[in-house]
Structures are given as structure tokens and as C-alpha cells.
Amino acid sequence: MRKSLASSLWPWDSVGAENNKVDLDDEEEEAPTELNTLNFGNFLEVSTDKLSVRYVGEGAHSNDVGSIQANRPAPSQQLVFYYEVEVKDGGERGKIGVGFSDKTFKHSRQPGWELNSYGYHGDDGNKYSATWKGEKYSTGFTTGDVVGAGLHLGKREIFYTHNGKFIGIAFHDIKLPLYATVGLHSKNEHITVNFGQKPFVFDIAALIAEERLQVQKTVTSVDFPQRFTLDVVTQYLQHYGCSGTLSALLDASCGLPRVEPCSVPSSVAAVDMDTRAALRRLLLEGKVDATMLKMQQEYPNIWKDDISVAFHLHCQKFIELVRLGDVDAAVRQARAHLAIYRGIDTQADLVLQDVLALLAYEDPYVEPAVRHLLSVQQREVVADVLNQAILRPHVPQSGEIQEDRG
């Protein structure tokens, strides 16, 4: 009996761009470098270097705010994102807001007035989040001051600095992704932004180093049983078929007592290590046809009974054709090998929708919604599906595990 797709491993969910937890593109995420001059508020005059803004309105009404965001959101993989704003001129009333906002932010509002926006305002020193009524936070700021705004992505917190001094955490449990945002609202206000193109006034490197030290202290404070780490690494290498590395590790650690860190016998992870390693290498090289052939030769029953294996491999074949720019072949692949899976279950339809969306973009490599599918990590995802499918029949039931352990 063929397994339903719903009962199989669905790693695609964890790599979707909407989760915004980890960017799976091969290259490091690009950080903001300048202000977004394609979409910003009224009453603003932006310099040619896109790093300086002047308010040229009268600021007579509440909706006369002019706000502007950075050209990119804060990178999701950084521990901390930080930028600074120097107030060249506080203007008539110093109604300058510094903070963050999401992509739906209205540019006729101060950061902090809208949902999913956060701001520290110069005229009253208050902090704002989804409200027009601020909460006391610190002193205000004006001409000559430098205000820094930091986004701690690990803790999902926002903090501020004032003239090189840490003020404190302003907001918790923030929703990502967010863009650096500045709002101006009175005549002659003038600011410049620093995204790291010059040294910051605040020592952000020291703060990041301290954060990493605290994490390291927490990890090293855990008292692991003797040999625990070695056994974890051993089972990892067995699971992924790294026989050469495993052999060298065991030779080097000969004589140490063993500690089994999990309830699944290590013999399960040792099944067909060389074959599983070979399949993984083929997939990581993008050789999907060769992978399919080897699966059919080595594991004909799994190929026949586990529908998720063929499904994921045919999807990956489609992706590899898109990577090569062979759109015609990709279309033929979709019609011949992917259409048959449509309607099998909801999850299959969602996966197909994501994969086929690659054809909707002229350059899918730069589209946040689909570019993760073209990464090497996506090949790793499919390799894990095959690995799990091969190991699954060898995992004993709970009663068998207990019997094996005596």
C-alpha cells in the first residue's frame, strides 16, 4: 500500500520565505545601505547619496508627517542589527521619530503610530508602538544628538542609544521583518543616517561580543555526562552516512566508555551508510536522474511504496531544470511527472504551488518567495527525505526498543 503524502516528512514548510526565520539563500543577506527613495512620505527632501533627509513642509497638521524607510529590511540572520541617526537640525519643534516598521507602514505616520511599527520620539522622549499616545522612556533629543536604534533578532527586542550611551530595551516580542524608519514633522528638521558606512558613536561591537559571551557561558555551564558529546556526533555521522569520518572518529576515541544518548539503537542509523552517503552526494551535485535510478535499484520497495520519495525527487528535478534555465524542459517535467500529484492532499498542493511558482518570475534567484528553492540547502532537504525513508523501516516500535534495552 502506498503511503499518503500527508503521512510523510514535509520539510518544505520550514524553508518557506514567509517564516522569515532563516534565509536559506547561499549568499549572506544584504543589509540596508541607504534610504528607500522609491517610496517615501511627503514634505521630504532626500540627498543624492540617499543618507540625508530634510523636512520642507510646514508641519501644521497631524497628517503632515513625512517618513522614510531603509532600502532593505534588517537581515534575519544577524544577531543584532543597528543604525544611527544624527540630528543636524531639530527644526522648529523637534518632532523626529526613530525606529522600525514593517512593509505595510504608511509614510504619513511617525514610526510607532501604526501597527507593527516602533519609535522613539525626540520632542517628548517617549516610546511608541501602535499608538498615538506614547509611554515615558527617556529624555528627548535635538540638534547635535545621535540616536541609535538596535534590533536584537534573537530576543526579538528593540533598544536605543543616545549619544553613545545605551538607554535600555524599549520593545519586546516584536514581529519581523522590520525596516529602519525615520519620521520628520516640523519645519527645517534635518537628519542623516548611518548604516555602518562610517564608525558608530555607540560601541555596538562590544554589545554583540557581550551577548555572544553570555550565550557561550550558558552553553558551557551545562554539565554533560562523560562521552555524551562523542555519542551524539557518532549517531549524527551514522544517520547521514559519513562512514569515513565516523571510522576516524571511533579510532581516535577508542577506549572511552559508551553512553547511549537516545532510545533508538545506533544500529538503525548504521543501515546502508555508504549507499545513503552516495545518494546524498548525487543530490547535492544536482544529479536527480542518477539519484532516482539508484533509489530504484537499491530500494525498489521504498520507491514503489513510499510516494513521498518519488514526489520530492520529481519536484527537485523540476527545480534543477529551472536552475539551468531550461524552461521548456521544466514545463514538460511538470506535465509528465508533477501533474499526477495534484489533488492528492492539501499539503501536496501547497508544495506544488511553491515549486511551480518558479516559472512565474523572470529571475527567481532574487525573488524572496521562491529563491530558497534554488539554494543548495533545498537539495539537502530532499536528501533528508530519502535518508528518512530508507531508515524508517528499520526503526523498531516502542515495545521492541524496550526489549532491545533489556
Side-chain angles (χ1 to χ4, degrees):
M1 179 178 178
R2 292 170 69 87
K3 292 184 180 180
S4 72
L5 287 169
S7 66
S8 304
L9 178 66
W10 287 104
W12 304 77
D13 295 338
S14 64
V15 297
E18 293 179 356
N19 292 334
N20 209 19
K21 295 177 182 177
V22 178
D23 183 9
L24 292 176
D25 200 345
D26 290 333
E27 298 181 0
E28 184 179 349
E29 291 177 273
E30 292 186 88
T33 55
E34 60 190 31
L35 297 168
N36 181 7
T37 56
L38 299 178
N39 184 22
F40 59 94
N42 296 324
F43 314 110
L44 298 183
E45 182 180 271
V46 184
S47 62
T48 55
D49 65 2
K50 302 179 183 180
L51 295 172
S52 179
V53 184
R54 188 186 303 273
Y55 187 86
V56 295
E58 296 296 325
H61 307 285
S62 61
N63 61 350
D64 287 348
V65 177
S67 286
I68 189 166
Q69 295 177 312
N71 62 331
R72 301 186 186 98
S76 62
Q77 285 188 318
Q78 286 187 198
L79 178 64
V80 175
F81 168 75
Y82 180 79
Y83 76 103
E84 288 183 340
V85 172
E86 181 180 358
V87 182
K88 295 292 189 180
D89 191 332
E92 291 185 352
R93 300 191 302 279
K95 300 176 75 67
I96 299 172
V98 177
F100 296 92
S101 62
D102 68 8
K103 64 181 180 180
T104 67
F105 180 69
K106 297 178 181 178
H107 296 290
S108 60
R109 302 286 190 270
Q110 284 279 16
W113 286 1
E114 294 287 295
L115 186 66
N116 296 328
S117 73
Y118 311 86
Y120 167 36
H121 293 189
D123 58 328
D124 55 17
N126 289 349
K127 61 180 182 179
Y128 294 76
S129 178
T131 179
W132 288 51
K133 185 178 180 180
E135 179 182 348
K136 190 60 182 176
Y137 176 58
S138 184
T139 59
F141 54 87
T142 187
T143 305
D145 287 336
V146 176
V147 174
L151 182 58
H152 195 304
L153 288 106
K155 297 180 178 178
R156 291 181 178 261
E157 295 175 340
I158 291 174
F159 64 87
Y160 289 93
T161 67
H162 187 185
N163 293 332
K165 295 182 179 180
F166 185 81
I167 301 175
I169 305 300
F171 307 103
H172 303 269
D173 301 321
I174 58 174
K175 184 178 179 181
L176 303 173
L178 293 174
Y179 295 75
T181 307
V182 180
L184 308 179
H185 194 196
S186 75
K187 191 173 182 179
N188 296 325
E189 289 173 349
H190 179 204
I191 62 95
T192 60
V193 293
N194 177 15
F195 291 116
Q197 65 270 20
K198 61 181 181 179
F200 292 121
V201 174
F202 176 71
D203 191 352
I204 188 64
L207 182 144
I208 294 174
E210 177 63 24
E211 287 288 329
R212 288 176 174 162
L213 180 61
Q214 290 301 320
V215 172
Q216 183 180 1
K217 286 181 178 179
T218 301
V219 173
T220 56
S221 67
V222 179
D223 185 19
F224 288 107
Q226 186 181 21
R227 178 91 186 215
F228 181 85
T229 303
L230 175 62
D231 283 319
V232 170
V233 175
T234 296
Q235 291 196 10
Y236 174 87
L237 295 174
Q238 287 178 330
H239 182 82
Y240 287 104
C242 304
S243 56
T245 305
L246 176 60
S247 178
L249 177 66
L250 293 177
D251 288 342
S253 60
C254 183
L256 290 178
R258 289 199 58 79
V259 176
E260 291 292 344
C262 70
S263 60
V264 179
S266 59
S267 59
V268 172
V271 170
D272 295 342
M273 289 181 61
D274 292 338
T275 303
R276 290 188 289 113
L279 286 166
R280 180 174 291 273
R281 283 194 298 271
L282 288 172
L283 262 179
L284 294 184
E285 293 171 1
K287 298 176 181 178
V288 182
D289 288 335
T291 305
M292 290 184 183
L293 180 60
K294 192 169 186 64
M295 276 296 301
Q296 293 172 45
Q297 292 173 342
E298 300 288 345
Y299 306 105
N301 290 335
I302 294 176
W303 181 262
K304 180 180 66 174
D305 296 335
D306 193 339
I307 193 174
S308 69
V309 171
F311 175 74
H312 286 295
L313 285 173
H314 282 305
C315 286
Q316 189 62 32
K317 174 66 175 179
F318 175 89
I319 292 169
E320 297 298 339
L321 290 170
V322 173
R323 285 172 64 104
L324 294 172
D326 195 341
V327 176
D328 290 339
V331 171
R332 291 194 297 271
Q333 168 71 9
R335 289 173 177 170
H337 299 289
L338 298 185
I340 59 175
Y341 296 103
R342 189 177 297 279
I344 288 181
D345 62 31
T346 302
Q347 189 62 62
D349 287 342
L350 291 175
V351 172
L352 287 172
Q353 179 178 320
D354 287 345
V355 173
L356 295 175
L358 287 167
L359 294 180
Y361 301 100
E362 182 177 351
D363 187 0
Y365 278 97
V366 300
E367 292 296 334
V370 296
R371 64 183 183 181
H372 61 282
L373 295 173
L374 301 172
S375 68
V376 173
Q377 286 88 344
Q378 171 57 31
R379 292 174 176 172
E380 287 272 10
V381 166
V382 180
D384 286 344
V385 171
L386 301 191
N387 198 51
Q388 294 286 10
I390 294 167
L391 292 177
R392 193 178 298 120
H394 300 276
V395 177
Q397 301 302 311
S398 57
E400 296 174 313
I401 292 174
Q402 293 172 0
E403 180 180 344
D404 181 67
R405 299 170 81 186

